[in-house]
Amino acid sequence: MDFKVLCLGLLCVFFASYIYTPIPSNIEEQWKVRILDAAAKISTFVAMCFENIGIMRFDEFISMILKLDYTEPFSDENITVTDMTFANIPRATDFLNRWTANKLDAVVLGVDYRLAPQHLFPTQFEDCITLVKFFLQDEILAKYGVDPTRICVSGDSSGGMLAAAVTQEVQNNLEIKHKIKLQALLYPNLQIIDSCLPSYQENKHGLVLTRDIGIKLVSLYLTKDESLPEAMRRNQYMPMESRPLFKFVNWSTLLPKKYRKDYVYVEPILGRYNYSLPALTDIRMSPLLASDSLLQNLPSTYILTCQYDIVRDDGIIYVSRLRNVGIKVTHEHIEDGIHAALSFMTSPLYLKLGLRIRDLYISWLDKNV
């Protein structure tokens, strides 16, 4: 009995240390953040355990949890919601889409793109760009009463990556008649070639999204090869021929000193593994790899980044690169921000931080669209 009690006690200590993360003093509603952070870490811990013992895959468990935040399509006195399929791709709705439609009296199109790992990259991009091209046809725009000169593309987190990639494609594709007026990217992840940017190191064990979990989720987009996450943790996964691309994400020159802090830039070790993954160097997966000539054609841009977020520096580097080629950029940096704050808006534990981000985003759209 004593041995069982000891084992249980050690397990509890291990588990508590696994989920515990110090909360920075400038973050408000710390008790809510602590609960949300613990819930996220417990969920990923259980997902990994279930996967290791063969109950269900990591992604299946995480998808099951995320579906709890799903908003069923419904209309009310302020919004008309139509759940349909465009170009064989279903549309989706969520809290932010509904809020945007209501506050701006806008037509909002949500894309229910196919998910990894059942559908690997570039399926997600292809679903999004196919639907956008379809919607930008004159007859479709006219059907929904959309002004073709006032079109905005937006997304948060991995959706921000897809929004950036779609905008690059639309603006640089001569066959697409109507272009994007604005793009809005909320705490986006914009590159996968360097997993040791200062924000990835600083927030390695950060709130809600840790570096290890971020790497796990990215790898699910790319391959079923289970060795990739470990190579990404070591920053030793890029092919030798990718060397010229690192100038586009070189944080030692593109990141303001405030965010570089005392970190020292070290170029990743190249060619250590022979992964046959074109996605690693594809601008549709890493919009930050786009050349300056492609970036010059982009529209006015809104980028929101959060201090306590592993992908913080992705957004800030994109701000620098866009401004360097003359694009008008509005950059909101939330000093007490955490990743995915908007994801908890329908939860009883919704954060005031999420309300602030939502209102900043809507205000910028209202002034510029």
Side-chain angles (χ1 to χ4, degrees):
M1 177 64 74
D2 290 342
F3 178 73
K4 292 181 178 179
V5 171
L6 176 61
C7 289
L8 178 61
L10 290 174
L11 179 62
C12 291
V13 169
F14 166 77
F15 189 67
S17 64
Y18 176 83
I19 67 171
Y20 175 75
T21 301
I23 307 294
S25 60
N26 66 327
I27 288 183
E28 62 178 340
E29 298 184 297
Q30 294 204 3
W31 68 274
K32 285 187 180 181
V33 173
R34 189 172 297 284
I35 292 174
L36 291 170
D37 180 58
K41 288 184 170 64
I42 290 171
S43 296
T44 55
F45 179 80
V46 172
M48 289 187 290
C49 290
F50 280 9
E51 183 172 70
N52 289 335
I53 62 180
I55 294 178
M56 66 171 57
R57 296 197 312 269
F58 177 92
D59 60 282
E60 290 177 333
F61 185 83
I62 296 300
S63 295
M64 182 176 67
I65 297 299
L66 293 178
K67 285 179 182 178
L68 297 176
D69 190 48
Y70 176 70
T71 303
E72 287 288 345
F74 67 93
S75 300
D76 57 29
E77 66 275 12
N78 298 313
I79 303 172
T80 300
V81 178
T82 306
D83 189 20
M84 62 173 58
T85 296
F86 281 158
N88 297 319
I89 299 167
R91 298 195 298 163
T93 183
D94 64 15
F95 173 83
L96 187 59
N97 286 338
R98 296 180 65 86
W99 186 268
T100 303
N102 185 28
K103 289 297 181 181
L104 301 183
D105 191 25
V107 175
V108 177
L109 180 66
V111 187
D112 191 13
Y113 54 81
R114 288 169 289 174
L115 301 176
Q118 293 86 351
H119 305 281
L120 298 178
F121 174 87
T123 301
Q124 298 75 27
F125 171 83
E126 290 174 345
D127 282 357
C128 291
I129 192 63
T130 297
L131 191 144
V132 169
K133 286 180 178 179
F134 182 87
F135 192 75
L136 289 179
Q137 296 177 96
D138 287 327
E139 59 271 26
I140 302 300
L141 293 172
K143 177 180 178 179
Y144 289 94
V146 175
D147 183 344
T149 67
R150 302 178 67 202
I151 295 170
C152 173
V153 173
S154 67
D156 68 307
S157 192
S158 59
M161 175 268 288
L162 289 169
V166 164
T167 301
Q168 288 182 6
E169 172 64 20
V170 171
Q171 300 305 94
N172 289 285
N173 188 331
L174 298 179
E175 296 181 358
I176 300 178
K177 174 183 175 182
H178 298 299
K179 301 300 182 182
I180 306 299
K181 180 180 181 181
L182 306 169
Q183 66 171 335
L185 315 176
L186 309 177
Y187 39 82
N189 60 289
L190 297 171
Q191 61 85 32
I192 60 169
I193 73 169
D194 189 346
S195 65
C196 282
L197 273 63
S199 59
Y200 287 67
Q201 299 180 61
E202 186 178 336
N203 298 293
K204 180 179 180 180
H205 303 293
L207 298 167
V208 179
L209 182 64
T210 66
R211 180 173 179 266
D212 281 354
I213 295 304
I215 286 173
K216 173 73 171 178
L217 295 174
V218 166
S219 69
L220 290 174
Y221 266 87
L222 306 177
T223 181
K224 298 184 186 298
D225 188 335
E226 296 181 358
S227 69
L228 180 61
E230 182 57 34
M232 293 184 75
R233 290 186 193 100
R234 297 177 180 178
N235 215 19
Q236 298 177 359
Y237 56 99
M238 294 299 296
M240 191 65 69
E241 60 268 22
S242 67
R243 188 177 300 277
L245 298 176
F246 282 87
K247 65 178 178 290
F248 297 130
V249 298
N250 188 330
W251 56 264
S252 68
T253 58
L254 293 168
L255 200 62
K257 182 172 176 54
K258 172 184 177 181
Y259 304 104
R260 296 198 307 266
K261 296 186 176 179
D262 295 325
Y263 292 101
V264 177
Y265 180 77
V266 178
E267 186 174 279
I269 297 175
L270 307 179
R272 177 63 62 86
Y273 298 92
N274 294 316
Y275 292 112
S276 180
L277 294 173
L280 289 174
T281 56
D282 195 318
I283 66 171
R284 298 172 298 174
M285 188 70 192
S286 295
L288 266 174
L289 301 186
S291 65
D292 287 353
S293 62
L294 294 178
L295 297 186
Q296 287 172 352
N297 297 320
L298 296 185
S300 295
T301 299
Y302 177 85
I303 297 178
L304 184 142
T305 55
C306 294
Q307 179 65 21
Y308 305 112
D309 183 3
I310 61 170
V311 299
R312 176 196 71 201
D313 295 346
D314 289 24
I316 296 174
I317 290 174
Y318 206 40
V319 170
S320 296
R321 291 205 57 212
L322 291 178
R323 285 176 174 169
N324 287 346
V325 297
I327 302 301
K328 181 181 178 181
V329 180
T330 299
H331 178 211
E332 299 272 10
H333 183 68
I334 311 301
E335 290 290 349
D336 60 343
I338 62 173
H339 192 80
L342 285 170
S343 300
F344 312 118
M345 295 303 295
T346 58
S347 163
L349 293 171
Y350 75 88
L351 300 173
K352 293 179 182 177
L353 168 65
L355 298 178
R356 275 194 284 137
I357 291 175
R358 179 202 66 188
D359 292 344
L360 287 169
Y361 162 71
I362 294 295
S363 176
W364 183 83
L365 283 180
D366 192 29
K367 292 176 182 177
N368 291 277
V369 79

